């Protein structure tokens, strides 16, 4: 934390860095305020709306989908704006394990070179496994991404193949599954509560709130494409 008396001693580069950090914090706090304001407005309407305006049955389901999608988009933006911790703690995701009976395909990722900089041959000491839920029309499968751990016994250097980029970091859906959810919702007019039932019949539990969060996060990721198309059209 920098006190006002210390500002005069900062170099121009330090002042620019401080200004950028403060602007990022302001954007993060404003996004949080917008999220809470939106939630509050929706809850007030549900509780205090006149009987003619109260949502019933499928209307409420569709509204809840839209609210969850908006909140998912806001949450994704908040994560992008949130200050990055110096040493992020490893968190174990709290989600249901993917059904063991689903077919699985393994993708092995190993470093291109297992020769240490000191000249020693590194040994494989373990691996990390990440499972992604994939979807092809009518069929769910699981992708097992196995990243071997290689270590040098002499200098204790650890090497792993980098994690590939995903649409939703640390999430279980592949791009194929996300595409299926979006196409079903916007092209085939299948609301998320119906998709939830369809997927349940295939033995996969995907709550509507989870699907809505995915849709919102995809909207954020697709925004640059929307902006480019708008520029091209105009």
């Amino acid at each position: 934390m920098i006190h006002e008396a210390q500002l005069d001693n900062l170099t121009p580069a330090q002042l620019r860095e401080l200004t950028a950090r403060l602007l990022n914090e302001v954007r993060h706090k404003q996004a949080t305020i917008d999220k809470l304001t939106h939630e509050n407005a929706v809850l007030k309407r549900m509780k205090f709306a006149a009987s003619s305006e109260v949502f019933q049955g499928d209307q409420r389901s569709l509204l809840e989908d839209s609210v969850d999608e908006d909140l998912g988009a806001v949450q994704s933006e908040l994560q992008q704006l949130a200050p990055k911790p110096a040493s992020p703690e490893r968190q174990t995701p709290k989600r249901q394990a993917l059904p063991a009976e689903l077919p699985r395909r393994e993708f092995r990722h190993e470093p291109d070179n297992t020769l240490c900089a000191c000249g020693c041959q590194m040994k494989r000491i373990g691996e990390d496994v990440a499972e992604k839920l994939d979807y092809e029309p009518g069929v769910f499968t699981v992708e097992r991404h196995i990243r071997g751990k290689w270590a040098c016994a002499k200098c204790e250097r650890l090497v792993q193949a980098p994690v590939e980029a995903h649409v939703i970091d640390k999430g279980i859906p592949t791009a194929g599954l996300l595409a299926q959810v979006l196409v079903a919702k916007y092209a085939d007019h299948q609301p998320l509560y119906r998709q939830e039932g369809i997927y349940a019949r295939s033995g996969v539990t995907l709550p509507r709130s989870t699907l809505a969060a995915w849709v919102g996060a995809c909207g954020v990721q697709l925004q640059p494409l929307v902006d480019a198309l708008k520029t091209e059209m105009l």
Side-chain angles (χ1 to χ4, degrees):
M1 184 68 180
I2 296 179
H3 299 285
E4 294 183 8
Q6 298 175 290
L7 293 177
D8 294 335
N9 299 324
L10 296 179
T11 65
Q14 291 173 325
L15 286 172
R16 285 194 295 270
E17 181 182 354
L18 176 61
T19 301
R21 187 168 69 249
L22 292 175
L23 286 174
N24 193 52
E25 291 179 1
V26 169
R27 294 191 192 100
H28 181 262
K29 290 178 179 179
Q30 184 59 50
T32 303
I33 292 172
D34 293 342
K35 175 177 180 288
L36 295 175
T37 301
H38 178 72
E39 289 178 339
N40 190 44
V42 172
L43 292 174
K44 282 185 176 179
R45 184 176 183 188
M46 287 182 173
K47 184 174 182 180
F48 300 112
S51 58
S52 60
E53 297 179 0
V54 173
F55 293 94
Q56 301 293 339
D58 291 346
Q59 287 181 321
R60 179 179 292 273
S61 295
L62 293 174
L63 174 63
E64 290 173 352
D65 285 354
S66 298
V67 171
D68 288 339
E69 290 162 17
D70 291 340
L71 294 180
V74 172
Q75 186 64 32
S76 179
E77 292 178 336
L78 284 173
Q79 291 175 354
Q80 294 179 13
L81 292 173
K84 300 296 187 295
S87 56
E89 297 182 359
R90 187 179 182 89
Q91 296 181 349
T92 303
K94 299 178 180 179
R95 63 170 69 99
Q96 276 188 321
L98 296 174
E101 65 272 13
L102 291 181
R104 279 162 164 75
R105 294 176 295 160
E106 290 191 353
F107 297 82
R108 295 191 172 272
H109 310 274
E110 303 293 351
D112 294 332
N113 184 10
T114 58
L115 192 65
C116 185
C118 68
C120 294
Q121 176 62 47
M122 307 177 79
K123 295 182 179 180
R124 199 174 192 277
I125 61 171
E127 62 188 23
D128 288 331
V129 179
E131 292 194 337
K132 301 290 181 181
L133 185 62
D134 193 22
Y135 182 84
E136 296 178 3
V139 179
F140 279 105
T141 58
V142 176
E143 293 184 354
R144 287 174 54 84
H145 293 266
I146 302 172
R147 298 167 53 241
K149 295 180 179 180
W150 294 77
C152 176
K154 182 177 181 180
C155 61
E156 299 183 353
R157 180 185 173 212
L158 180 66
V159 173
Q160 263 188 309
V163 178
E164 296 183 351
H166 296 282
V167 179
I168 299 179
D169 289 336
K170 300 181 181 179
I172 65 169
T174 65
L177 176 55
L178 293 173
Q180 165 63 26
V181 173
L182 294 177
V183 170
K185 176 176 172 59
Y186 294 109
D188 299 334
H189 311 292
Q190 290 286 345
L192 298 181
Y193 73 91
R194 291 183 180 172
Q195 292 193 48
E196 180 183 10
I198 293 171
Y199 302 145
R201 289 196 297 272
S202 296
V204 177
T205 301
L206 293 177
R208 181 175 53 195
S209 58
T210 298
L211 296 173
W214 291 355
V215 172
C218 287
V220 173
Q221 297 291 347
L222 289 171
Q223 191 59 46
L225 177 59
V226 174
D227 295 338
L229 289 172
K230 180 180 178 181
T231 301
E232 181 68 20
M233 292 174 65
L234 297 180

PDB file of all heavy atoms in Angstrom, residues 142-176:
ATOM      1  N   VAL A 142     -15.116 -38.790 -22.932  1.00  0.00           N
ATOM      2  CA  VAL A 142     -14.235 -38.063 -22.026  1.00  0.00           C
ATOM      3  C   VAL A 142     -12.831 -38.049 -22.600  1.00  0.00           C
ATOM      4  O   VAL A 142     -12.300 -39.094 -22.982  1.00  0.00           O
ATOM      5  CB  VAL A 142     -14.215 -38.711 -20.622  1.00  0.00           C
ATOM      6  CG1 VAL A 142     -13.210 -37.991 -19.724  1.00  0.00           C
ATOM      7  CG2 VAL A 142     -15.601 -38.685 -20.000  1.00  0.00           C
ATOM      8  N   GLU A 143     -12.246 -36.869 -22.684  1.00  0.00           N
ATOM      9  CA  GLU A 143     -10.857 -36.726 -23.111  1.00  0.00           C
ATOM     10  C   GLU A 143      -9.963 -36.693 -21.869  1.00  0.00           C
ATOM     11  O   GLU A 143     -10.163 -35.853 -20.989  1.00  0.00           O
ATOM     12  CB  GLU A 143     -10.660 -35.432 -23.911  1.00  0.00           C
ATOM     13  CG  GLU A 143     -11.361 -35.412 -25.253  1.00  0.00           C
ATOM     14  CD  GLU A 143     -11.039 -34.146 -26.031  1.00  0.00           C
ATOM     15  OE1 GLU A 143     -10.369 -33.252 -25.446  1.00  0.00           O
ATOM     16  OE2 GLU A 143     -11.452 -34.039 -27.196  1.00  0.00           O
ATOM     17  N   ARG A 144      -9.022 -37.629 -21.798  1.00  0.00           N
ATOM     18  CA  ARG A 144      -8.076 -37.658 -20.679  1.00  0.00           C
ATOM     19  C   ARG A 144      -6.754 -37.064 -21.153  1.00  0.00           C
ATOM     20  O   ARG A 144      -6.047 -37.659 -21.979  1.00  0.00           O
ATOM     21  CB  ARG A 144      -7.862 -39.092 -20.182  1.00  0.00           C
ATOM     22  CG  ARG A 144      -9.047 -39.647 -19.415  1.00  0.00           C
ATOM     23  CD  ARG A 144      -8.860 -41.121 -19.075  1.00  0.00           C
ATOM     24  NE  ARG A 144      -7.613 -41.379 -18.376  1.00  0.00           N
ATOM     25  CZ  ARG A 144      -7.447 -41.236 -17.046  1.00  0.00           C
ATOM     26  NH1 ARG A 144      -8.466 -40.827 -16.316  1.00  0.00           N
ATOM     27  NH2 ARG A 144      -6.291 -41.513 -16.478  1.00  0.00           N
ATOM     28  N   HIS A 145      -6.438 -35.888 -20.654  1.00  0.00           N
ATOM     29  CA  HIS A 145      -5.188 -35.221 -21.016  1.00  0.00           C
ATOM     30  C   HIS A 145      -4.155 -35.527 -19.934  1.00  0.00           C
ATOM     31  O   HIS A 145      -4.287 -35.097 -18.789  1.00  0.00           O
ATOM     32  CB  HIS A 145      -5.402 -33.709 -21.148  1.00  0.00           C
ATOM     33  CG  HIS A 145      -6.273 -33.342 -22.305  1.00  0.00           C
ATOM     34  ND1 HIS A 145      -5.764 -33.012 -23.542  1.00  0.00           N
ATOM     35  CD2 HIS A 145      -7.623 -33.277 -22.423  1.00  0.00           C
ATOM     36  CE1 HIS A 145      -6.766 -32.740 -24.366  1.00  0.00           C
ATOM     37  NE2 HIS A 145      -7.894 -32.898 -23.708  1.00  0.00           N
ATOM     38  N   ILE A 146      -3.139 -36.310 -20.291  1.00  0.00           N
ATOM     39  CA  ILE A 146      -2.137 -36.771 -19.340  1.00  0.00           C
ATOM     40  C   ILE A 146      -0.826 -36.035 -19.614  1.00  0.00           C
ATOM     41  O   ILE A 146      -0.248 -36.146 -20.696  1.00  0.00           O
ATOM     42  CB  ILE A 146      -1.935 -38.285 -19.462  1.00  0.00           C
ATOM     43  CG1 ILE A 146      -3.278 -39.007 -19.227  1.00  0.00           C
ATOM     44  CG2 ILE A 146      -0.875 -38.768 -18.488  1.00  0.00           C
ATOM     45  CD1 ILE A 146      -3.229 -40.483 -19.511  1.00  0.00           C
ATOM     46  N   ARG A 147      -0.374 -35.268 -18.636  1.00  0.00           N
ATOM     47  CA  ARG A 147       0.850 -34.481 -18.768  1.00  0.00           C
ATOM     48  C   ARG A 147       1.911 -35.063 -17.845  1.00  0.00           C
ATOM     49  O   ARG A 147       1.835 -34.937 -16.635  1.00  0.00           O
ATOM     50  CB  ARG A 147       0.575 -33.021 -18.439  1.00  0.00           C
ATOM     51  CG  ARG A 147      -0.435 -32.364 -19.372  1.00  0.00           C
ATOM     52  CD  ARG A 147      -0.936 -31.033 -18.853  1.00  0.00           C
ATOM     53  NE  ARG A 147       0.139 -30.128 -18.534  1.00  0.00           N
ATOM     54  CZ  ARG A 147       0.339 -29.637 -17.314  1.00  0.00           C
ATOM     55  NH1 ARG A 147      -0.453 -29.992 -16.316  1.00  0.00           N
ATOM     56  NH2 ARG A 147       1.330 -28.804 -17.084  1.00  0.00           N
ATOM     57  N   GLY A 148       2.877 -35.733 -18.439  1.00  0.00           N
ATOM     58  CA  GLY A 148       3.933 -36.357 -17.648  1.00  0.00           C
ATOM     59  C   GLY A 148       4.823 -35.341 -16.954  1.00  0.00           C
ATOM     60  O   GLY A 148       5.072 -34.252 -17.481  1.00  0.00           O
ATOM     61  N   LYS A 149       5.280 -35.714 -15.762  1.00  0.00           N
ATOM     62  CA  LYS A 149       6.219 -34.881 -15.009  1.00  0.00           C
ATOM     63  C   LYS A 149       7.623 -35.472 -15.136  1.00  0.00           C
ATOM     64  O   LYS A 149       7.826 -36.653 -14.845  1.00  0.00           O
ATOM     65  CB  LYS A 149       5.822 -34.834 -13.526  1.00  0.00           C
ATOM     66  CG  LYS A 149       4.488 -34.166 -13.248  1.00  0.00           C
ATOM     67  CD  LYS A 149       4.196 -34.176 -11.750  1.00  0.00           C
ATOM     68  CE  LYS A 149       2.881 -33.491 -11.435  1.00  0.00           C
ATOM     69  NZ  LYS A 149       2.594 -33.504  -9.968  1.00  0.00           N
ATOM     70  N   TRP A 150       8.573 -34.651 -15.542  1.00  0.00           N
ATOM     71  CA  TRP A 150       9.955 -35.088 -15.716  1.00  0.00           C
ATOM     72  C   TRP A 150      10.852 -34.235 -14.817  1.00  0.00           C
ATOM     73  O   TRP A 150      10.715 -33.015 -14.780  1.00  0.00           O
ATOM     74  CB  TRP A 150      10.385 -34.950 -17.170  1.00  0.00           C
ATOM     75  CG  TRP A 150       9.651 -35.872 -18.100  1.00  0.00           C
ATOM     76  CD1 TRP A 150       8.377 -35.731 -18.567  1.00  0.00           C
ATOM     77  CD2 TRP A 150      10.134 -37.095 -18.641  1.00  0.00           C
ATOM     78  NE1 TRP A 150       8.028 -36.780 -19.371  1.00  0.00           N
ATOM     79  CE2 TRP A 150       9.102 -37.646 -19.441  1.00  0.00           C
ATOM     80  CE3 TRP A 150      11.340 -37.786 -18.553  1.00  0.00           C
ATOM     81  CZ2 TRP A 150       9.232 -38.833 -20.131  1.00  0.00           C
ATOM     82  CZ3 TRP A 150      11.483 -38.981 -19.243  1.00  0.00           C
ATOM     83  CH2 TRP A 150      10.443 -39.490 -20.019  1.00  0.00           C
ATOM     84  N   ALA A 151      11.725 -34.909 -14.090  1.00  0.00           N
ATOM     85  CA  ALA A 151      12.587 -34.204 -13.144  1.00  0.00           C
ATOM     86  C   ALA A 151      14.037 -34.631 -13.313  1.00  0.00           C
ATOM     87  O   ALA A 151      14.332 -35.777 -13.679  1.00  0.00           O
ATOM     88  CB  ALA A 151      12.136 -34.466 -11.703  1.00  0.00           C
ATOM     89  N   CYS A 152      14.924 -33.697 -13.047  1.00  0.00           N
ATOM     90  CA  CYS A 152      16.358 -33.970 -13.082  1.00  0.00           C
ATOM     91  C   CYS A 152      16.822 -34.293 -11.666  1.00  0.00           C
ATOM     92  O   CYS A 152      16.604 -33.512 -10.737  1.00  0.00           O
ATOM     93  CB  CYS A 152      17.115 -32.761 -13.623  1.00  0.00           C
ATOM     94  SG  CYS A 152      18.916 -32.960 -13.607  1.00  0.00           S
ATOM     95  N   ALA A 153      17.438 -35.452 -11.486  1.00  0.00           N
ATOM     96  CA  ALA A 153      17.881 -35.867 -10.164  1.00  0.00           C
ATOM     97  C   ALA A 153      19.024 -35.002  -9.644  1.00  0.00           C
ATOM     98  O   ALA A 153      19.224 -34.877  -8.440  1.00  0.00           O
ATOM     99  CB  ALA A 153      18.318 -37.336 -10.192  1.00  0.00           C
ATOM    100  N   LYS A 154      19.770 -34.379 -10.567  1.00  0.00           N
ATOM    101  CA  LYS A 154      20.952 -33.610 -10.153  1.00  0.00           C
ATOM    102  C   LYS A 154      20.579 -32.203  -9.693  1.00  0.00           C
ATOM    103  O   LYS A 154      20.952 -31.786  -8.604  1.00  0.00           O
ATOM    104  CB  LYS A 154      21.952 -33.553 -11.311  1.00  0.00           C
ATOM    105  CG  LYS A 154      23.244 -32.819 -10.972  1.00  0.00           C
ATOM    106  CD  LYS A 154      24.221 -32.864 -12.133  1.00  0.00           C
ATOM    107  CE  LYS A 154      25.514 -32.147 -11.774  1.00  0.00           C
ATOM    108  NZ  LYS A 154      26.483 -32.171 -12.905  1.00  0.00           N
ATOM    109  N   CYS A 155      19.823 -31.476 -10.516  1.00  0.00           N
ATOM    110  CA  CYS A 155      19.509 -30.079 -10.166  1.00  0.00           C
ATOM    111  C   CYS A 155      18.049 -29.889  -9.745  1.00  0.00           C
ATOM    112  O   CYS A 155      17.604 -28.764  -9.523  1.00  0.00           O
ATOM    113  CB  CYS A 155      19.843 -29.144 -11.321  1.00  0.00           C
ATOM    114  SG  CYS A 155      18.907 -29.486 -12.832  1.00  0.00           S
ATOM    115  N   GLU A 156      17.294 -31.004  -9.657  1.00  0.00           N
ATOM    116  CA  GLU A 156      15.908 -30.975  -9.183  1.00  0.00           C
ATOM    117  C   GLU A 156      15.001 -30.083 -10.047  1.00  0.00           C
ATOM    118  O   GLU A 156      14.040 -29.514  -9.560  1.00  0.00           O
ATOM    119  CB  GLU A 156      15.841 -30.519  -7.726  1.00  0.00           C
ATOM    120  CG  GLU A 156      16.588 -31.438  -6.773  1.00  0.00           C
ATOM    121  CD  GLU A 156      16.436 -31.009  -5.334  1.00  0.00           C
ATOM    122  OE1 GLU A 156      15.866 -29.921  -5.090  1.00  0.00           O
ATOM    123  OE2 GLU A 156      16.878 -31.755  -4.437  1.00  0.00           O
ATOM    124  N   ARG A 157      15.309 -29.997 -11.303  1.00  0.00           N
ATOM    125  CA  ARG A 157      14.476 -29.223 -12.222  1.00  0.00           C
ATOM    126  C   ARG A 157      13.286 -30.066 -12.657  1.00  0.00           C
ATOM    127  O   ARG A 157      13.420 -31.252 -12.940  1.00  0.00           O
ATOM    128  CB  ARG A 157      15.298 -28.805 -13.431  1.00  0.00           C
ATOM    129  CG  ARG A 157      14.526 -27.975 -14.462  1.00  0.00           C
ATOM    130  CD  ARG A 157      15.377 -27.701 -15.679  1.00  0.00           C
ATOM    131  NE  ARG A 157      14.622 -27.060 -16.744  1.00  0.00           N
ATOM    132  CZ  ARG A 157      14.859 -27.246 -18.027  1.00  0.00           C
ATOM    133  NH1 ARG A 157      15.830 -28.074 -18.410  1.00  0.00           N
ATOM    134  NH2 ARG A 157      14.150 -26.635 -18.942  1.00  0.00           N
ATOM    135  N   LEU A 158      12.095 -29.471 -12.696  1.00  0.00           N
ATOM    136  CA  LEU A 158      10.871 -30.168 -13.090  1.00  0.00           C
ATOM    137  C   LEU A 158      10.351 -29.599 -14.408  1.00  0.00           C
ATOM    138  O   LEU A 158      10.294 -28.381 -14.584  1.00  0.00           O
ATOM    139  CB  LEU A 158       9.788 -30.005 -12.011  1.00  0.00           C
ATOM    140  CG  LEU A 158       8.444 -30.679 -12.287  1.00  0.00           C
ATOM    141  CD1 LEU A 158       8.602 -32.197 -12.304  1.00  0.00           C
ATOM    142  CD2 LEU A 158       7.417 -30.273 -11.239  1.00  0.00           C
ATOM    143  N   VAL A 159      10.002 -30.498 -15.337  1.00  0.00           N
ATOM    144  CA  VAL A 159       9.525 -30.076 -16.653  1.00  0.00           C
ATOM    145  C   VAL A 159       8.222 -30.796 -16.975  1.00  0.00           C
ATOM    146  O   VAL A 159       8.089 -32.001 -16.710  1.00  0.00           O
ATOM    147  CB  VAL A 159      10.575 -30.371 -17.753  1.00  0.00           C
ATOM    148  CG1 VAL A 159       9.995 -30.088 -19.138  1.00  0.00           C
ATOM    149  CG2 VAL A 159      11.818 -29.543 -17.530  1.00  0.00           C
ATOM    150  N   GLN A 160       7.256 -30.060 -17.505  1.00  0.00           N
ATOM    151  CA  GLN A 160       5.994 -30.618 -17.984  1.00  0.00           C
ATOM    152  C   GLN A 160       5.596 -29.904 -19.264  1.00  0.00           C
ATOM    153  O   GLN A 160       5.934 -28.735 -19.466  1.00  0.00           O
ATOM    154  CB  GLN A 160       4.869 -30.413 -16.949  1.00  0.00           C
ATOM    155  CG  GLN A 160       4.601 -31.598 -16.056  1.00  0.00           C
ATOM    156  CD  GLN A 160       3.369 -31.379 -15.200  1.00  0.00           C
ATOM    157  OE1 GLN A 160       3.227 -30.367 -14.537  1.00  0.00           O
ATOM    158  NE2 GLN A 160       2.482 -32.352 -15.210  1.00  0.00           N
ATOM    159  N   ALA A 161       4.870 -30.617 -20.125  1.00  0.00           N
ATOM    160  CA  ALA A 161       4.316 -29.963 -21.309  1.00  0.00           C
ATOM    161  C   ALA A 161       3.294 -28.927 -20.849  1.00  0.00           C
ATOM    162  O   ALA A 161       2.540 -29.167 -19.903  1.00  0.00           O
ATOM    163  CB  ALA A 161       3.650 -30.992 -22.216  1.00  0.00           C
ATOM    164  N   PRO A 162       3.256 -27.757 -21.475  1.00  0.00           N
ATOM    165  CA  PRO A 162       2.308 -26.716 -21.043  1.00  0.00           C
ATOM    166  C   PRO A 162       0.862 -27.147 -21.278  1.00  0.00           C
ATOM    167  O   PRO A 162       0.575 -27.956 -22.158  1.00  0.00           O
ATOM    168  CB  PRO A 162       2.685 -25.515 -21.921  1.00  0.00           C
ATOM    169  CG  PRO A 162       3.360 -26.113 -23.117  1.00  0.00           C
ATOM    170  CD  PRO A 162       4.076 -27.336 -22.617  1.00  0.00           C
ATOM    171  N   VAL A 163      -0.030 -26.602 -20.454  1.00  0.00           N
ATOM    172  CA  VAL A 163      -1.453 -26.877 -20.608  1.00  0.00           C
ATOM    173  C   VAL A 163      -1.977 -26.143 -21.835  1.00  0.00           C
ATOM    174  O   VAL A 163      -1.710 -24.952 -22.020  1.00  0.00           O
ATOM    175  CB  VAL A 163      -2.237 -26.419 -19.358  1.00  0.00           C
ATOM    176  CG1 VAL A 163      -3.730 -26.673 -19.533  1.00  0.00           C
ATOM    177  CG2 VAL A 163      -1.716 -27.139 -18.124  1.00  0.00           C
ATOM    178  N   GLU A 164      -2.695 -26.855 -22.678  1.00  0.00           N
ATOM    179  CA  GLU A 164      -3.256 -26.222 -23.868  1.00  0.00           C
ATOM    180  C   GLU A 164      -4.353 -25.241 -23.489  1.00  0.00           C
ATOM    181  O   GLU A 164      -5.026 -25.399 -22.464  1.00  0.00           O
ATOM    182  CB  GLU A 164      -3.824 -27.289 -24.811  1.00  0.00           C
ATOM    183  CG  GLU A 164      -2.771 -28.233 -25.372  1.00  0.00           C
ATOM    184  CD  GLU A 164      -3.377 -29.227 -26.346  1.00  0.00           C
ATOM    185  OE1 GLU A 164      -4.614 -29.282 -26.437  1.00  0.00           O
ATOM    186  OE2 GLU A 164      -2.608 -29.953 -27.003  1.00  0.00           O
ATOM    187  N   ALA A 165      -4.544 -24.227 -24.323  1.00  0.00           N
ATOM    188  CA  ALA A 165      -5.579 -23.221 -24.060  1.00  0.00           C
ATOM    189  C   ALA A 165      -6.965 -23.835 -24.247  1.00  0.00           C
ATOM    190  O   ALA A 165      -7.182 -24.658 -25.135  1.00  0.00           O
ATOM    191  CB  ALA A 165      -5.392 -22.044 -25.005  1.00  0.00           C
ATOM    192  N   HIS A 166      -7.887 -23.455 -23.377  1.00  0.00           N
ATOM    193  CA  HIS A 166      -9.272 -23.902 -23.463  1.00  0.00           C
ATOM    194  C   HIS A 166     -10.201 -22.687 -23.419  1.00  0.00           C
ATOM    195  O   HIS A 166      -9.825 -21.620 -22.930  1.00  0.00           O
ATOM    196  CB  HIS A 166      -9.608 -24.858 -22.315  1.00  0.00           C
ATOM    197  CG  HIS A 166      -8.826 -26.137 -22.338  1.00  0.00           C
ATOM    198  ND1 HIS A 166      -9.131 -27.182 -23.180  1.00  0.00           N
ATOM    199  CD2 HIS A 166      -7.745 -26.533 -21.636  1.00  0.00           C
ATOM    200  CE1 HIS A 166      -8.276 -28.169 -22.995  1.00  0.00           C
ATOM    201  NE2 HIS A 166      -7.416 -27.801 -22.065  1.00  0.00           N
ATOM    202  N   VAL A 167     -11.397 -22.861 -23.944  1.00  0.00           N
ATOM    203  CA  VAL A 167     -12.363 -21.762 -23.934  1.00  0.00           C
ATOM    204  C   VAL A 167     -12.659 -21.344 -22.505  1.00  0.00           C
ATOM    205  O   VAL A 167     -12.717 -20.156 -22.180  1.00  0.00           O
ATOM    206  CB  VAL A 167     -13.664 -22.178 -24.653  1.00  0.00           C
ATOM    207  CG1 VAL A 167     -14.679 -21.035 -24.620  1.00  0.00           C
ATOM    208  CG2 VAL A 167     -13.369 -22.579 -26.091  1.00  0.00           C
ATOM    209  N   ILE A 168     -12.852 -22.332 -21.620  1.00  0.00           N
ATOM    210  CA  ILE A 168     -13.091 -22.058 -20.204  1.00  0.00           C
ATOM    211  C   ILE A 168     -11.957 -22.700 -19.418  1.00  0.00           C
ATOM    212  O   ILE A 168     -11.863 -23.927 -19.336  1.00  0.00           O
ATOM    213  CB  ILE A 168     -14.448 -22.618 -19.747  1.00  0.00           C
ATOM    214  CG1 ILE A 168     -15.585 -21.963 -20.544  1.00  0.00           C
ATOM    215  CG2 ILE A 168     -14.649 -22.384 -18.250  1.00  0.00           C
ATOM    216  CD1 ILE A 168     -16.964 -22.469 -20.177  1.00  0.00           C
ATOM    217  N   ASP A 169     -11.082 -21.873 -18.856  1.00  0.00           N
ATOM    218  CA  ASP A 169      -9.941 -22.394 -18.115  1.00  0.00           C
ATOM    219  C   ASP A 169     -10.410 -23.220 -16.924  1.00  0.00           C
ATOM    220  O   ASP A 169     -11.321 -22.828 -16.193  1.00  0.00           O
ATOM    221  CB  ASP A 169      -9.061 -21.241 -17.620  1.00  0.00           C
ATOM    222  CG  ASP A 169      -8.308 -20.573 -18.756  1.00  0.00           C
ATOM    223  OD1 ASP A 169      -8.101 -21.236 -19.787  1.00  0.00           O
ATOM    224  OD2 ASP A 169      -7.950 -19.388 -18.622  1.00  0.00           O
ATOM    225  N   LYS A 170      -9.784 -24.360 -16.715  1.00  0.00           N
ATOM    226  CA  LYS A 170     -10.058 -25.261 -15.596  1.00  0.00           C
ATOM    227  C   LYS A 170     -11.476 -25.818 -15.612  1.00  0.00           C
ATOM    228  O   LYS A 170     -11.915 -26.410 -14.629  1.00  0.00           O
ATOM    229  CB  LYS A 170      -9.793 -24.560 -14.252  1.00  0.00           C
ATOM    230  CG  LYS A 170      -8.353 -24.088 -14.089  1.00  0.00           C
ATOM    231  CD  LYS A 170      -8.143 -23.419 -12.750  1.00  0.00           C
ATOM    232  CE  LYS A 170      -6.720 -22.930 -12.601  1.00  0.00           C
ATOM    233  NZ  LYS A 170      -6.509 -22.244 -11.293  1.00  0.00           N
ATOM    234  N   GLY A 171     -12.198 -25.632 -16.712  1.00  0.00           N
ATOM    235  CA  GLY A 171     -13.531 -26.202 -16.828  1.00  0.00           C
ATOM    236  C   GLY A 171     -13.474 -27.561 -17.498  1.00  0.00           C
ATOM    237  O   GLY A 171     -12.466 -27.941 -18.089  1.00  0.00           O
ATOM    238  N   ILE A 172     -14.583 -28.304 -17.429  1.00  0.00           N
ATOM    239  CA  ILE A 172     -14.590 -29.642 -18.020  1.00  0.00           C
ATOM    240  C   ILE A 172     -15.033 -29.666 -19.478  1.00  0.00           C
ATOM    241  O   ILE A 172     -14.779 -30.654 -20.165  1.00  0.00           O
ATOM    242  CB  ILE A 172     -15.472 -30.613 -17.207  1.00  0.00           C
ATOM    243  CG1 ILE A 172     -16.947 -30.170 -17.262  1.00  0.00           C
ATOM    244  CG2 ILE A 172     -14.981 -30.730 -15.785  1.00  0.00           C
ATOM    245  CD1 ILE A 172     -17.901 -31.221 -16.707  1.00  0.00           C
ATOM    246  N   PRO A 173     -15.721 -28.647 -20.013  1.00  0.00           N
ATOM    247  CA  PRO A 173     -16.231 -28.792 -21.379  1.00  0.00           C
ATOM    248  C   PRO A 173     -15.157 -28.556 -22.436  1.00  0.00           C
ATOM    249  O   PRO A 173     -14.319 -27.657 -22.306  1.00  0.00           O
ATOM    250  CB  PRO A 173     -17.317 -27.715 -21.465  1.00  0.00           C
ATOM    251  CG  PRO A 173     -16.842 -26.641 -20.555  1.00  0.00           C
ATOM    252  CD  PRO A 173     -16.162 -27.355 -19.412  1.00  0.00           C
ATOM    253  N   THR A 174     -15.198 -29.368 -23.487  1.00  0.00           N
ATOM    254  CA  THR A 174     -14.365 -29.104 -24.658  1.00  0.00           C
ATOM    255  C   THR A 174     -15.074 -28.084 -25.546  1.00  0.00           C
ATOM    256  O   THR A 174     -16.246 -27.747 -25.335  1.00  0.00           O
ATOM    257  CB  THR A 174     -14.142 -30.390 -25.462  1.00  0.00           C
ATOM    258  OG1 THR A 174     -15.412 -30.831 -25.989  1.00  0.00           O
ATOM    259  CG2 THR A 174     -13.532 -31.481 -24.603  1.00  0.00           C
ATOM    260  N   ALA A 175     -14.352 -27.607 -26.554  1.00  0.00           N
ATOM    261  CA  ALA A 175     -14.965 -26.662 -27.492  1.00  0.00           C
ATOM    262  C   ALA A 175     -16.148 -27.308 -28.214  1.00  0.00           C
ATOM    263  O   ALA A 175     -17.146 -26.644 -28.529  1.00  0.00           O
ATOM    264  CB  ALA A 175     -13.916 -26.186 -28.496  1.00  0.00           C
ATOM    265  N   GLY A 176     -16.058 -28.632 -28.467  1.00  0.00           N
ATOM    266  CA  GLY A 176     -17.152 -29.323 -29.145  1.00  0.00           C
ATOM    267  C   GLY A 176     -18.426 -29.332 -28.326  1.00  0.00           C
ATOM    268  O   GLY A 176     -19.525 -29.127 -28.864  1.00  0.00           O
TER     269      GLY A 176
END
